[in-house]
Amino acid sequence: MAALVLATARRLLLRGSGSWRRSRLRSGAPARRGFSSGSAYPRVPLSSPLPGVPEPVFATVDGQEKFETKVTTLENGLRVASQNKFGQFCTVGVLINSGSRYEAKYLSGIAHFLEKLAFSSTDRFDSKDEILLTLEKHGGICDCQTSRDTTMYAVSADSKGLDTVVGLLADVVLHPRLTDEEIDMTRMAVQFELEDLNMRPDPEPLLTEMIHEAAYQENTVGLHRFCPTENIGKIDREVLHSYLRNYYTPDRMVLAGVGVEHEHLVECARKHLQGTRPAWGCAKAVDVDRSVAQYTGGMVKLERDMSNVSLGPAPFPELTHIMIGLESCSFLEEDFIPFAVLNMMMGGGGSFSAGGPGKGMFTRLYLNVLNRHHWMYNATSYHHSYEDTGLLCVHASADPRQVREMVEILTKEFILMAGTVDVAELERAKTQLMSMLMMNLESRPVIFEDVGRQVLATRSRKLPHELCALIRVSAALGTDTSRI
């Protein structure tokens, strides 16, 4: 049977459909395949243009960077910032200097409610569906995000619909209806998010809240970003209007756009955002909180039962998560860049990184912690920076029986930060920081957020090449990080 199969295969080979097969079998010499381009343009190197093909015309940039950020301040104090970028679509939004840090005189959780209420019914739009249908005509999507110090309403859509988009944003920000039905739905959404936050396996959002609460007890950035359960039923339309009246004012706003012409954006801003009466009236702001963050230090602990939480058939491992933080600097200080480099130098991550083996393996938390202590599940560095303060943190996870040893190891790493840094280590961290910066700024929504946040905080914007120059100059501080 085997001989029959071999004989049949040999006959099939001898009946090859191509002439090259027959010639190869007859002569025994290897056949050479002729490529179609070889006869037309023989031996033309790839560095030379093909004969008869028009010369390509490439885009050119005059100077270091032609697409500078333009900023115009309107008569009512609203700032309009734009960054030119070629393409069919644009990202436009309103950034407001408001958030949970300004809720000292209010019920905690208002900013959380406003995030969920964003893009609901307004004076011109009867429902959220009508807003989405309007955006759909221009291929648009919308989003709202709140942080401790900034609220951001953003839309990405076709550039031809800029006037419609700015008008919609003005309506959403200044003329929300805040109906009882919408507030009731928001209460349910907030309640669900709080339950999810307490049950999710990833502890990072909860730890971030706790480290801020411990570092800045009952002031500014230490106030709760998420609405406490006891305040869900207390926040109503009157409370929201009281907050909006003080913090949603033109002098605390920036209209930012990427992929738009600056003059057109200014024209739309004058049309829709200047001289309009907001839904909460034109009364003057009286209770604006201008408190400066006060670092207090402290400890916050939380015990959670994760025995019922499982991502699969195996039970979730019992772990203790800790986050240790120290006060750093604000993003307005000159030490902000060195702190960013230090954060990259510390690096770290999980024992099973999503990037695969080798990602970030030269950072200190990988070399000194994860590679030397196999029982550590995670060790990651974070840097949070605000207008008047900052926080450098390290998050680690391990078995509850090894908490003491884990804290000692992290404390040792904080002490070593003040020692001498290897030149190669410093250069690697700076290169990694510049690479991450430039890669992130390839995305239009990221450019929009960078433009808006910088103009909101400093009334101007440092361009990417300026930031890279500052990162390179940080070597002038020397390899001694004791000043940090």
Side-chain angles (χ1 to χ4, degrees):
M1 183 68 179
L4 178 61
V5 172
L6 290 174
T8 303
R10 183 174 180 81
R11 282 198 299 273
L12 290 173
L13 288 172
L14 292 174
R15 294 177 189 171
S17 58
S19 61
W20 69 275
R21 292 178 184 267
R22 291 193 295 272
S23 64
R24 184 177 185 276
L25 290 172
R26 285 197 301 270
S27 63
R32 292 184 179 180
R33 181 180 176 185
F35 294 93
S36 60
S37 61
S39 58
Y41 304 107
R43 295 194 179 94
V44 177
L46 295 177
S47 58
S48 301
L50 295 176
V53 177
E55 292 187 6
V57 179
F58 298 102
T60 59
V61 178
D62 298 332
Q64 177 67 264
E65 184 147 0
K66 189 174 183 179
F67 310 116
E68 71 279 0
T69 302
K70 297 181 179 179
V71 181
T72 299
T73 303
L74 302 186
E75 291 77 6
N76 61 354
L78 175 75
R79 281 157 281 173
V80 181
S82 71
Q83 175 82 27
N84 195 5
K85 186 176 176 65
F86 295 109
Q88 180 183 355
F89 287 85
C90 65
T91 300
V92 183
V94 177
L95 291 92
I96 307 166
N97 191 9
S98 70
S100 59
R101 70 167 295 166
Y102 300 107
E103 295 175 358
K105 301 178 181 179
Y106 298 89
L107 290 171
S108 180
I110 292 178
H112 192 189
F113 259 69
L114 291 174
E115 179 185 58
K116 301 302 178 187
L117 284 164
F119 294 98
S120 297
S121 64
T122 67
D123 290 349
R124 285 200 301 129
F125 300 97
D126 292 332
S127 65
K128 189 168 190 172
D129 291 339
E130 193 172 332
I131 291 177
L132 297 178
L133 287 173
T134 302
L135 289 175
E136 188 178 338
K137 296 176 183 177
H138 301 283
I141 56 175
C142 61
D143 186 30
C144 177
Q145 297 178 9
T146 61
S147 62
R148 286 178 165 77
D149 56 357
T150 308
T151 301
M152 179 175 64
Y153 298 81
V155 171
S156 290
D158 193 303
S159 302
K160 296 178 182 178
L162 180 62
D163 185 73
T164 302
V165 167
V166 175
L168 186 148
L169 284 168
D171 230 39
V172 167
V173 174
L174 299 176
H175 306 286
R177 286 183 178 174
L178 304 180
T179 64
D180 293 338
E181 182 181 358
E182 290 170 348
I183 293 176
D184 288 339
M185 291 293 293
T186 300
R187 290 194 179 107
M188 294 174 60
V190 169
Q191 181 67 44
F192 174 80
E193 186 169 353
L194 293 178
E195 293 174 1
D196 177 69
L197 185 67
N198 289 320
M199 293 300 294
R200 62 191 302 176
D202 178 20
E204 183 190 333
L206 202 56
L207 283 171
T208 302
E209 290 300 302
M210 294 169 66
I211 194 68
H212 280 82
E213 183 182 351
Y216 305 92
Q217 294 182 24
E218 298 182 355
N219 77 91
T220 57
V221 295
L223 301 176
H224 292 285
R225 191 170 73 87
F226 297 101
C227 180
T229 306
E230 62 271 15
N231 288 349
I232 293 177
K234 299 177 183 177
I235 296 178
D236 54 17
R237 190 167 183 263
E238 184 179 349
V239 172
L240 295 172
H241 273 189
S242 175
Y243 179 87
L244 293 169
R245 185 177 298 110
N246 289 319
Y247 293 100
Y248 277 43
T249 55
D251 58 300
R252 300 176 69 89
M253 294 183 184
V254 169
L255 175 65
V258 176
V260 298
E261 293 182 1
H262 185 71
E263 296 305 323
H264 190 193
L265 185 63
V266 172
E267 181 184 341
C268 294
R270 293 185 190 278
K271 177 181 176 182
H272 299 287
L273 288 165
Q274 184 170 299
T276 181
R277 186 179 187 275
W280 45 87
C282 295
K284 189 177 180 180
V286 290
D287 293 326
V288 177
D289 186 1
R290 293 183 174 86
S291 302
V292 177
Q294 301 294 321
Y295 182 85
T296 61
M299 180 185 297
V300 175
K301 295 186 292 184
L302 176 65
E303 186 172 347
R304 293 170 59 193
D305 182 10
M306 301 291 289
S307 59
N308 295 327
V309 178
S310 176
L311 299 177
F316 200 77
E318 184 180 1
L319 296 175
T320 293
H321 306 274
I322 66 167
M323 186 174 280
I324 300 176
L326 296 176
E327 186 181 18
S328 62
C329 66
S330 79
F331 52 70
L332 299 177
E333 298 179 41
E334 62 177 7
D335 283 338
F336 172 68
I337 296 294
F339 263 109
V341 175
L342 177 61
N343 181 54
M344 296 300 298
M345 192 169 64
M346 297 304 295
S351 297
F352 301 95
S353 171
K359 189 188 81 170
M361 290 300 179
F362 289 101
T363 61
R364 286 193 175 188
L365 291 179
Y366 263 116
L367 291 174
N368 301 341
V369 178
L370 293 173
N371 288 354
R372 296 184 181 182
H373 308 282
H374 67 278
W375 44 270
M376 296 275 282
Y377 280 73
N378 179 52
T380 311
S381 175
Y382 299 95
H383 186 219
H384 306 279
S385 193
Y386 305 96
E387 191 173 355
D388 52 357
T389 188
L391 202 58
L392 181 69
C393 315
V394 174
H395 163 218
S397 306
D399 187 274
R401 292 168 294 184
Q402 293 170 303
V403 172
R404 180 183 179 86
E405 189 175 358
M406 177 169 57
V407 173
E408 290 175 352
I409 291 169
L410 294 187
T411 304
K412 180 181 177 182
E413 289 304 311
F414 271 105
I415 295 173
L416 291 176
M417 286 182 189
T420 302
V421 180
D422 182 71
V423 175
E425 179 186 26
L426 179 62
E427 290 300 319
R428 184 184 294 114
K430 287 160 54 181
T431 302
Q432 187 177 357
L433 179 60
M434 288 187 288
S435 173
M436 184 185 69
L437 172 69
M438 300 306 292
M439 288 179 66
N440 287 338
L441 290 175
E442 288 288 328
S443 172
R444 188 180 63 251
V446 175
I447 299 175
F448 155 77
E449 186 172 351
D450 182 55
V451 170
R453 287 184 179 275
Q454 286 201 49
V455 173
L456 188 65
T458 66
R459 299 181 179 271
S460 62
R461 183 197 179 214
K462 284 186 173 66
L463 295 175
H465 72 269
E466 296 177 293
L467 293 174
C468 288
L470 290 173
I471 294 172
R472 294 190 191 96
V473 170
S474 62
L477 300 176
T479 55
D480 185 2
T481 57
S482 58
R483 72 183 293 254
I484 299 177

